[in-house]
């Protein structure tokens, strides 16, 4: 079969070969590389020969595809046959075309996989960007809903008023304690002054005064609770 194809190629008119050579001018360098591999391939490692052959066939095949788009599909096999003849290759034109078809199919598969990975990476980047844009809003909402350290619930405009009331209550408590300490100091001074111990009547009167003060403080606290 191969001998018949080679014989058919040798029987083609010179004008046909010239036209084919002219159409293959764009890959003349790759064809020379294939011819050198055919001549000097025995000195190279087999894996290197295969790699260089595939690269050359991929470039030549892509060029032939572009020519076919303009000249028509009928020119495809003659072009591959001319490549085989010009490079003195052991593969026939149809064999070269079959090898190129496998190379092209693998390239397309890799391109599709790369496009899918790129699309997935773009979608992930977009999702990350949207999440970052939404994060400040979620942080603000979480801060607003977060309970206060004193258990008073979410922060609100009433928080400042609650703090002011707490300060006033603490101030009143300190004032009441200060008055009681002052009364105790007066009792001490009275004992030191007369040297006769406590005056029971005076103590009872002071206790009554203190009870009245406490009652007034409790009344004020109840009024504040009702106002809340």
């Amino acid at each position: 079969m191969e001998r018949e194809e080679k014989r058919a190629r040798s029987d083609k008119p010179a004008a046909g070969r010239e036209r084919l050579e002219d159409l293959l001018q764009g890959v003349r360098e790759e064809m020379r590389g294939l011819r050198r591999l055919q001549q000097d391939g025995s000195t190279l490692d087999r894996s290197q020969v295969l790699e260089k052959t595939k690269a050359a066939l991929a470039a030549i095949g892509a060029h032939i595809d572009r020519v076919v788009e303009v000249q028509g599909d009928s020119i495809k096999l003659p072009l591959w046959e001319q490549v085989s003849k010009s490079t003195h290759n052991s593969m026939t034109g149809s064999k070269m075309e079959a090898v190129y078809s496998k190379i092209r199919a693998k390239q397309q598969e890799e391109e599709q996989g790369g496009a899918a990975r790129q699309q997935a990476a773009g979608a992930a980047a977009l999702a990350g960007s949207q999440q970052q844009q939404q994060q400040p809003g979620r942080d603000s909402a979480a801060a607003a809903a977060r309970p206060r350290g004193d258990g008073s619930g979410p922060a609100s405009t009433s928080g400042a008023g609650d703090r002011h009331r707490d300060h006033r209550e603490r101030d009143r408590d300190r004032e009441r304690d200060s008055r009681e300490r002052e009364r105790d100091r007066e009792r001490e001074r009275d004992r030191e002054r007369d040297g006769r111990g406590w005056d029971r009547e005076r103590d009872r009167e002071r206790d009554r005064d203190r009870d009245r003060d406490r009652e007034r403080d409790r009344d004020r606290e109840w009024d504040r609770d009702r106002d809340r």
Side-chain angles (χ1 to χ4, degrees):
M1 183 66 180
E2 291 182 3
R3 286 196 298 272
E4 291 178 358
E5 287 187 3
K6 290 180 179 179
R7 189 180 303 112
R9 289 201 300 269
S10 64
D11 293 340
K12 289 182 182 293
R17 288 197 297 271
E18 289 177 0
R19 178 169 177 262
L20 294 174
E21 290 286 347
D22 184 60
L23 291 174
L24 291 170
Q25 282 296 323
V27 285
R28 184 61 53 191
E29 184 63 31
E30 286 79 2
M31 291 171 63
R32 278 196 290 266
L34 271 182
R35 188 165 56 246
R36 285 195 296 271
L37 285 173
Q38 191 69 19
Q39 295 170 352
D40 306 330
S42 59
T43 63
L44 298 175
D45 183 68
R46 185 172 183 275
S47 61
Q48 291 179 320
V49 173
L50 288 176
E51 193 67 28
K52 291 179 181 294
T53 301
K54 288 180 180 179
L57 288 177
I60 294 169
H63 176 78
I64 291 176
D65 286 343
R66 289 192 293 271
V67 173
V68 169
E69 289 179 359
V70 178
Q71 301 292 330
D73 193 65
S74 61
I75 199 71
K76 179 186 290 186
L77 185 57
L79 285 171
W80 279 112
E81 289 175 348
Q82 184 62 34
V83 171
S84 175
K85 180 180 178 181
S86 298
T87 59
H88 306 291
N89 203 282
S90 60
M91 289 188 294
T92 63
S94 58
K95 179 64 174 178
M96 282 186 169
E97 181 185 0
V99 172
Y100 166 70
S101 296
K102 292 180 180 179
I103 295 172
R104 182 56 185 154
K106 186 175 181 180
Q107 288 177 339
Q108 289 175 340
E109 183 179 350
E110 292 176 351
E111 290 171 359
Q112 291 173 356
R117 287 192 296 272
Q118 187 175 7
Q119 185 177 4
L126 179 60
S129 176
Q130 291 175 346
Q131 185 177 7
Q132 289 178 353
Q133 292 174 359
Q134 295 171 359
Q135 190 65 33
R138 289 198 296 268
D139 291 343
S140 299
R146 190 179 299 119
R148 288 182 166 279
D150 58 1
S152 60
S156 63
T157 55
S158 62
D162 293 338
R163 288 195 296 273
H164 289 316
R165 281 195 295 272
D166 292 340
H167 288 317
R168 288 197 297 270
E169 290 175 1
R170 285 195 294 270
D171 291 340
R172 281 192 290 270
D173 291 339
R174 284 195 293 268
E175 183 179 355
R176 184 171 59 250
D177 293 340
S178 178
R179 288 198 301 268
E180 291 179 357
R181 286 195 296 270
E182 183 61 31
R183 292 190 190 102
D184 292 339
R185 284 194 293 269
E186 288 179 0
R187 293 190 188 100
E188 285 293 330
R189 285 195 293 270
D190 290 341
R191 284 200 303 270
E192 292 175 359
R193 215 171 13 249
D194 55 23
R196 291 178 300 174
W198 294 94
D199 187 336
R200 292 188 179 87
E201 184 60 25
R202 186 182 301 165
D203 290 343
R204 284 194 294 272
E205 183 63 25
R206 288 171 180 165
D207 290 339
R208 284 193 294 272
D209 292 339
R210 184 167 58 186
D211 292 339
R212 283 193 294 271
D213 290 339
R214 288 177 177 172
E215 289 176 359
R216 284 195 297 270
D217 291 336
R218 282 197 297 270
D219 291 339
R220 284 196 295 268
E221 290 176 357
W222 289 339
D223 292 337
R224 287 196 303 272
D225 291 338
R226 285 197 299 273
D227 292 337
R228 291 179 187 175

